[in-house]
């Protein structure tokens, strides 16, 4: 006798006894159920189920598919990957179900009519094809529409999940689909599943195509072709940082994607026709041979427009006689106990006399010293106080300072003694869900001068939002290192601003006295120039290289960390940087090993398992998303200081307390998707931060990522010690081969027009 699907799979079926925890946002649920049916023999009929689902209801039966596991603290649990409500299977049971309070407006008579016409499978038949309600006698169209809508609201999510389970979707991704479309989810899946490529984060072309092909949307179906085009363009922009792509390239890549594993011959002309159609629909922007995602096209356009506004409508700059400037600068030099070099004086003077200015230079070239001097001289020449304590209420502090990350903003505060914030916080960012900034064209920033650090990290989208919020009356100083990696997001704003020559720029190149003894700084400048010594001087006090092959990298990293710990350094002082996530020398493996070294499991140390990861009190963690409500942003490094059980707090839920530079933030278990271990992180994630000790493996296994700017960015994160390990030839390959990829942008061309207009007005 053939087994049913339920008998083939591990499952339990039962009714809700007690809801332990349910998150409305993440749908993470812990519930106790009474089991009335199971695929395996159970000694205990009361079981705790854990997974993602809509809030379970009492008096309803649920089917869960998953597996049992032993939690180190909470004991035996059933972790489910699928769930569904179990609908009564008798006519009387379905009539009672449809006429219950769950379906207001569907009384017993209506329910009887529906079941009489459509049978015991009425609910699934209606959800699959709403027109079957036309067969129900005496059911008016308005009532039929109401029945369908109400059924969708009550049963839609289960139908969506079941449909996506059949196509191999996991629960988490299936939930994303339902959140995006709600009661329209089934309609979207059945009519045009390719919409998910555009709308749902995490669904690529392959997953949507799996559904589409099963529904007959094969070959050169327009929806299929459009989805492939959009997917290739999005991936090109978001993965490689390009603002636009050449139309010919996108057509070729989309054609390859459409033909992959299908053995179909897709004509390039058919793909090109759908490119035109997408342009007409406003899904992409086509400008000559360039293709843009609309958000990037308009953001780049906005950057140029607002730079033009700020430069062409600039306020009349205060003119200070040379003698007055030199007098103020001399007083500042005496007060700070230093002497500014000619290029540094030029930077300060240029900033004071320009509506906008760029200050760029590598480590040890004195950017921070210039900014300190600029602020002091600015206050003296203006005759105003730069003490934040003297400003309160409606009296606004005249100097704004900001950086892309919390760590970079904290460094600005430490180096100047003045308040600084993240750019997101300064602009009043309301989070990814709202995707809203308080500051913009209609509510601009207040102050006299704005100083922005680490501008190389600012992408096209953020630069556009920032420039919109700057009033014509405000002076702006952009600071950054043009040799660092460009932003994680699309564009290369700082590089384009420098190359366009539309804004005055001062490049600091000399290494000053306080940095002359640093081999790290000398080494970083050698990397920037593309020239490395034959070997690192082993007598160097702050720079070492430990040769080893790729398989030995974890052992080498562990030995270096042990040595640092013996000298009194803690995990928070040490940052391991790796350019790739996978592999023996990747971020993930190194994090696992380093946790056992820095923060091993003990009976006294509380911990929380989360998927394959365990978080413990004392762990160093990295924030992965912007969380403006708690003033924590992507890239911030924190430490877990406490873990409280459900019984130990009034919210009756597990709480993890993480401190970020003294600021404590409460996380619940579902919030742990926002963090990861920080013992080792990618070089991209380290941008904007500095650490006493940086350990950086470099091996040929990283070949795809071995680029000069990547190595330079990692090296310049080290303040006191830089410890490299791996293959010296791999390091030379990265530094000497100019493999840094140029990004496709049209910002320089747009800024060229502004430069011409500025020059014309100044004649």
């Amino acid at each position: 006798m053939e087994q049913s699907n339920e008998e083939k799979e591990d499952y339990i079926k039962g009714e809700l006894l007690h809801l332990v925890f349910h998150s409305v946002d993440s749908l993470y649920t812990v519930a106790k159920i009474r089991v009335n049916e199971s695929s395996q023999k159970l000694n205990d009929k009361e079981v705790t189920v854990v997974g993602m689902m809509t809030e379970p209801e009492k008096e309803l039966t649920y089917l869960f598919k998953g597996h049992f596991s032993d939690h180190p603290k909470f004991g035996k649990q059933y972790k489910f990957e699928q769930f569904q409500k179990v609908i009564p299977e008798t006519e009387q049971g379905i009539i009672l179900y449809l006429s219950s309070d769950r379906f207001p407006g569907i009384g017993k008579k209506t329910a009887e009519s529906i079941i009489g016409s459509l049978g015991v499978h009425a609910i699934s038949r209606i959800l699959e094809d709403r027109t079957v309600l036309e067969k129900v006698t005496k059911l008016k169209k308005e009532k039929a529409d109401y029945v369908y809508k109400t059924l969708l609201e009550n049963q839609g999510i289960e139908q969506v999940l079941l449909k996506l389970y059949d196509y191999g979707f996991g629960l988490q991704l299936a939930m994303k689909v339902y959140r995006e479309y709600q009661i329209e989810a089934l309609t979207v899946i059945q009519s045009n599943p390719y919409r998910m490529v555009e709308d749902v984060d995490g669904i690529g072309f392959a997953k949507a195509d799996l559904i589409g092909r099963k529904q007959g949307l094969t070959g050169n179906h327009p929806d299929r072709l459009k989805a492939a085009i959009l997917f290739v363009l999005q991936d090109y922009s978001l993965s490689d940082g390009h603002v636009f792509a050449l139309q010919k390239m996108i057509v070729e890549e989309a054609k390859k994607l459409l033909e992959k594993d299908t053995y179909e011959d897709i004509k390039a002309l058919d793909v090109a026709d759908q490119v035109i159609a997408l342009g007409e629909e406003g899904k992409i922007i086509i400008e000559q041979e360039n293709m843009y995602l609309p958000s990037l096209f308009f953001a780049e356009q906005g950057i140029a427009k607002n730079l033009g506004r700020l430069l062409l409508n600039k306020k009349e700059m205060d003119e200070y006689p040379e003698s007055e400037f030199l007098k103020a600068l001399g007083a500042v030099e005496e007060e700070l106990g230093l002497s500014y070099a000619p290029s540094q004086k030029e930077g300060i003077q240029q900033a004071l006399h320009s509506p906008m200015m760029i200050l760029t230079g590598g480590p040890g070239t004195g950017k921070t010293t210039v900014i300190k001097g600029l602020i002091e001289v600015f206050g003296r020449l203006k005759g105003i106080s730069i003490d934040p304590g003297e400003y309160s209420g409606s009296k606004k502090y005249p100097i704004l300072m900001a950086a892309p990350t919390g760590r970079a903003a904290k460094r600005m505060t430490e180096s100047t003694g003045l308040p600084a914030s993240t750019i997101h916080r300064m602009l009043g960012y309301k989070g990814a869900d709202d995707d809203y900034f308080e500051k913009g064209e209609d509510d601009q920033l207040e102050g006299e001068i704005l100083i922005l650090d680490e501008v190389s990290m600012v992408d096209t989208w953020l630069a556009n939002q920032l420039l919109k919020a700057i009033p014509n009356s405000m002076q702006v100083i952009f600071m950054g290192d043009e040799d660092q990696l460009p932003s994680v997001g699309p564009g290369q704003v700082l590089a384009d601003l420098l190359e366009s020559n539309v804004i005055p720029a001062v490049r600091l190149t000399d290494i000053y006295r306080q940095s002359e003894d640093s081999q790290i700084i000398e080494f970083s400048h050698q990397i920037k120039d593309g020239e490395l010594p034959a070997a690192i001087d082993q007598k160097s006090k702050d720079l070492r290289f430990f040769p080893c092959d790729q398989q030995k990298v974890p052992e080498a990293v562990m030995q270096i960390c042990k040595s640092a710990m013996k000298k009194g350094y803690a995990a928070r002082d040490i940052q391991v940087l790796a350019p790739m996530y996978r592999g023996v020398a990747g971020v993930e493996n190194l994090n696992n090993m380093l946790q056992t070294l820095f923060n091993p499991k003990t009976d006294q140390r509380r911990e929380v398992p989360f998927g394959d990861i365990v978080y413990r009190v004392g762990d160093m963690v990295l924030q992965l998303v912007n969380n403006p409500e708690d003033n924590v942003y992507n890239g911030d490094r924190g430490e877990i200081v406490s873990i409280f059980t459900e019984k130990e707090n009034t919210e009756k839920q597990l709480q993890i307390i993480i401190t970020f530079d003294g600021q404590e933030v409460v996380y619940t278990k579902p919030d742990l998707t926002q963090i990861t271990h920080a013992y080792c992180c990618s070089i991209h994630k380290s941008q904007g931060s500095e650490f006493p000790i940086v350990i950086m493996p470099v091996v040929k296994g990283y070949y795809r990522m071995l680029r000069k700017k990547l190595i330079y960015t990692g090296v310049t994160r080290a303040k006191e010690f830089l410890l490299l390990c791996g293959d010296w030839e791999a390091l030379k390959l990265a530094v000497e081969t100019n493999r840094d990829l140029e990004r496709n942008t049209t910002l320089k061309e747009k800024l060229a027009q502004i430069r011409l207009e500025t020059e014309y007005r100044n004649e």
Side-chain angles (χ1 to χ4, degrees):
M1 184 175 178
E2 189 177 348
Q3 290 179 307
S4 69
N5 285 337
E6 286 180 10
E7 290 172 321
K8 290 176 183 176
E9 297 182 80
D10 188 2
Y11 76 94
I12 59 174
K13 193 186 288 186
E15 299 169 2
L16 176 68
L17 283 175
H18 173 59
L19 183 61
V20 179
F21 173 75
H22 175 75
S23 168
V24 176
D25 295 326
S26 69
L27 302 181
Y28 183 80
T29 303
V30 180
K32 183 154 282 192
I33 65 165
R34 180 189 292 111
V35 178
N36 52 40
E37 190 179 324
S38 173
S39 60
Q40 55 182 284
K41 187 176 180 180
L42 301 178
N43 295 324
D44 192 350
K45 292 297 182 182
E46 292 186 7
V47 171
T48 299
V49 296
V50 180
M52 291 174 63
M53 68 182 297
T54 50
E55 186 173 354
E57 303 174 58
K58 286 190 175 181
E59 300 177 3
L60 276 186
T61 300
Y62 288 87
L63 172 70
F64 300 96
K65 293 181 181 179
H67 63 275
F68 279 101
S69 66
D70 286 316
H71 190 283
K73 183 174 181 180
F74 302 112
K76 196 172 187 180
Q77 294 181 334
Y78 191 81
K79 290 188 173 181
F80 62 89
E81 284 86 41
Q82 298 183 18
F83 80 94
Q84 68 183 94
K85 290 176 186 173
V86 179
I87 305 301
E89 297 176 349
T90 65
E91 286 192 8
Q92 191 58 35
I94 297 173
I95 290 169
L96 288 173
Y97 176 70
L98 287 177
S99 57
S100 69
D101 292 340
R102 294 182 187 86
F103 301 92
I106 302 178
K108 189 174 180 182
K109 285 188 176 180
T110 303
E112 288 174 343
S113 298
I114 292 170
I115 302 307
S117 299
L118 303 178
V120 292
H121 300 297
I123 293 175
S124 59
R125 289 183 65 189
I126 294 166
L127 289 169
E128 287 176 10
D129 181 9
R130 64 190 298 171
T131 62
V132 297
L133 284 168
E134 295 171 5
K135 299 176 182 178
V136 181
T137 56
K138 297 184 179 178
L139 189 65
K140 294 181 179 178
K141 185 180 182 305
E142 294 79 7
K143 190 76 168 179
D145 290 342
Y146 176 80
V147 168
Y148 175 71
K149 181 183 175 185
T150 310
L151 277 174
L152 270 180
E153 290 171 350
N154 282 271
Q155 283 292 316
I157 188 166
E158 282 76 19
Q159 296 295 318
V160 171
L161 295 180
L162 287 172
K163 180 74 73 176
L164 292 174
Y165 294 157
D166 288 343
Y167 293 129
F169 279 57
L171 179 57
Q172 193 164 2
L173 203 53
M175 284 293 193
K176 281 187 177 182
V177 175
Y178 186 78
R179 280 178 176 173
E180 176 66 31
Y181 301 118
Q182 296 292 316
I183 64 172
E184 296 298 321
L186 266 183
T187 305
V188 171
I189 292 168
Q190 291 166 352
S191 61
N192 181 10
Y194 293 104
R195 270 184 61 186
M196 293 188 291
V197 174
E198 187 179 352
D199 299 337
V200 183
D201 182 37
I203 293 188
F205 177 79
K207 285 190 179 293
D209 200 37
L210 179 68
I211 300 174
R213 293 178 65 78
K214 286 187 177 182
Q215 294 178 186
L217 304 178
T218 59
N220 63 351
H221 190 284
D223 291 337
R224 184 169 183 262
L225 269 56
K226 287 177 183 177
I229 294 162
L230 286 172
F231 177 76
V232 171
L233 181 57
Q234 286 170 348
D235 186 61
Y236 191 65
S237 297
L238 302 182
S239 297
D240 297 329
H242 299 289
V243 172
F244 74 88
L246 291 175
Q247 184 172 326
K248 181 181 178 183
M249 186 275 290
I250 294 294
V251 169
E252 289 173 354
E253 291 301 314
K255 183 178 184 297
K256 288 179 190 175
L257 182 63
L258 289 158
E259 293 174 346
K260 186 180 179 182
D261 302 327
T262 65
Y263 307 104
E264 294 174 329
D265 182 21
I266 305 297
K267 290 183 172 56
L269 187 59
D270 290 339
V271 180
D273 286 342
Q274 295 311 313
V275 166
I276 295 169
L278 284 167
E280 291 171 348
E281 294 169 15
K283 298 288 180 67
I284 60 173
I285 304 292
I286 303 172
E287 189 177 67
Q288 297 176 340
E289 291 300 310
N290 298 342
M291 287 174 58
Y292 302 76
L293 294 174
S295 64
L296 286 173
F297 177 83
F298 292 115
E300 195 177 69
Q301 202 173 60
I303 293 171
K305 171 190 166 188
N306 283 291
L307 279 171
R309 169 179 62 83
L310 292 166
L311 290 168
L312 296 172
N313 299 305
K314 63 187 178 184
K315 68 169 188 175
E316 288 295 320
M317 300 300 298
D318 293 325
E319 293 292 335
Y320 304 108
E322 183 82 3
S323 58
E324 199 173 321
F325 166 72
L326 293 174
K327 180 182 176 183
L329 183 65
V332 170
E333 287 179 317
E334 186 175 343
E335 186 176 301
L336 297 178
L338 52 82
S339 178
Y340 284 106
S343 63
Q344 293 178 315
K345 288 180 181 177
E346 180 194 354
I348 295 171
Q349 195 164 18
Q350 183 73 69
L352 287 168
H353 291 88
S354 304
M356 305 185 90
M357 191 270 268
I358 300 172
L359 182 69
T360 182
T365 56
K367 294 194 300 295
T368 299
T369 307
V370 169
I371 289 303
K372 286 172 71 173
L374 166 64
I375 293 168
E376 292 285 348
V377 172
F378 175 80
R380 289 171 187 270
L381 292 177
K382 286 276 190 178
I384 60 174
S385 172
I386 61 168
D387 180 2
E390 295 186 21
Y391 295 83
S392 61
S394 59
K395 191 179 180 184
K396 299 291 184 183
Y397 189 59
I399 301 164
L400 295 179
M401 297 200 303
T405 67
R407 292 289 297 177
K410 185 171 185 285
R411 280 172 49 210
M412 290 185 83
T413 296
E414 289 170 346
S415 62
T416 63
L418 301 178
S421 74
T422 64
I423 296 173
H424 280 85
R425 191 179 190 195
M426 180 180 71
L427 296 177
Y429 181 60
K430 292 303 180 185
D433 291 339
D434 295 324
D435 197 23
Y436 171 72
F437 292 86
E438 287 180 345
K439 295 297 181 182
E441 291 169 320
D442 299 326
D443 182 12
Q444 294 184 316
L445 297 166
E446 296 180 56
E448 294 191 39
I449 190 166
L450 169 63
I451 302 168
L452 299 159
D453 198 7
E454 300 285 357
V455 178
S456 62
M457 296 175 64
V458 177
D459 66 26
T460 299
W461 288 309
L462 184 57
N464 177 43
Q465 188 64 43
L466 172 65
L467 289 165
K468 279 194 280 189
I470 298 174
N472 293 343
S473 59
M474 184 177 284
Q475 285 178 259
V476 184
I477 291 92
F478 298 106
M479 291 171 57
D481 185 344
E482 60 185 306
D483 295 299
Q484 281 191 32
L485 285 168
S487 55
V488 175
Q492 48 185 25
V493 175
L494 178 62
D496 285 345
L497 289 178
L498 285 165
E499 287 185 36
S500 71
N501 293 318
V502 73
I503 298 172
V506 174
R507 287 176 166 87
L508 303 176
T509 55
D510 297 323
I511 300 174
Y512 295 101
R513 281 199 301 271
Q514 64 268 34
S515 304
E516 285 176 353
D517 295 333
S518 170
Q519 290 297 303
I520 298 173
I521 289 176
E522 183 181 341
F523 188 60
S524 69
H525 284 271
Q526 289 172 331
I527 291 172
K528 183 174 69 172
D529 295 336
E531 299 175 0
L532 283 184
I536 288 175
D537 182 1
Q538 293 305 304
K539 294 180 181 179
S540 170
K541 66 177 183 179
D542 60 358
L543 175 64
R544 290 290 174 90
F545 183 87
F546 301 90
C548 65
D549 63 36
Q550 185 163 330
Q551 296 302 314
K552 295 289 186 181
V553 161
E555 182 182 336
V557 170
M558 293 286 276
Q559 288 301 321
I560 295 169
C561 289
K562 285 177 183 177
S563 177
M565 290 171 72
K566 286 179 182 177
K567 293 177 181 177
Y569 288 94
R572 68 178 66 88
D573 304 317
I574 303 167
Q575 183 63 68
V576 180
L577 300 177
M580 297 181 74
Y581 282 89
R582 303 292 172 84
V584 67
V587 171
E588 294 170 357
N589 185 52
L590 292 174
N591 257 327
N592 290 336
M593 296 185 66
L594 290 167
Q595 186 193 29
T596 64
L597 173 66
F598 287 117
N599 199 28
K601 179 181 177 66
T602 67
D603 292 337
Q604 293 75 36
R605 192 171 285 146
R606 289 187 174 186
E607 61 181 40
V608 178
F610 189 72
D612 296 331
I613 300 174
V614 174
Y615 291 107
R616 298 188 185 111
V617 171
D619 270 343
M620 300 304 301
V621 295
L622 188 74
Q623 180 75 9
L624 300 174
V625 297
N626 291 324
N627 186 353
E629 289 182 5
D630 293 316
N631 192 29
V632 180
Y633 294 88
N634 185 4
D636 287 353
R637 198 171 185 242
E639 181 179 349
I640 298 176
V641 292
S642 302
I643 295 174
F644 296 107
T645 66
E646 293 87 341
K647 296 178 181 178
E648 294 175 327
N649 60 82
T650 55
E651 285 77 14
K652 301 298 179 187
Q653 56 183 310
L654 188 73
Q655 292 185 337
I656 301 94
I657 314 300
I658 303 176
T659 179
F660 294 90
D661 293 319
Q663 175 186 317
E664 292 191 348
V665 180
V666 179
Y667 289 70
T668 60
K669 194 164 185 179
D671 297 330
L672 295 181
T673 56
Q674 298 180 17
I675 64 169
T676 189
H677 281 129
Y679 301 108
C680 179
C681 74
S682 71
I683 296 172
H684 271 98
K685 285 289 185 185
S686 73
Q687 279 183 273
S689 299
E690 284 184 346
F691 311 96
I693 298 176
V694 165
I695 302 167
M696 195 165 78
V698 183
V699 291
K700 287 182 179 175
Y702 296 151
Y703 180 80
R704 192 171 60 86
M705 300 295 289
L706 291 181
R707 296 173 186 163
K708 184 167 71 174
K709 284 190 175 182
L710 188 90
I711 300 299
Y712 175 81
T713 301
V715 164
T716 53
R717 302 307 93 204
K719 288 173 66 177
E720 299 174 19
F721 297 97
L722 172 64
L723 305 163
L724 300 158
C725 63
D727 185 342
W728 185 259
E729 288 303 313
L731 184 62
K732 286 177 70 70
L733 175 70
V735 172
E736 295 175 359
T737 306
N738 192 12
R739 297 180 61 248
D740 291 313
L741 300 179
E742 282 292 319
R743 293 183 170 186
N744 290 342
T745 75
T746 42
L747 184 57
K748 291 191 294 289
E749 289 77 8
K750 290 180 170 69
L751 293 175
Q753 183 60 37
I754 292 172
R755 188 176 68 248
L756 290 173
E757 290 182 38
T758 306
E759 291 170 354
Y760 175 77
R761 288 199 184 188
N762 290 336
E763 285 182 359

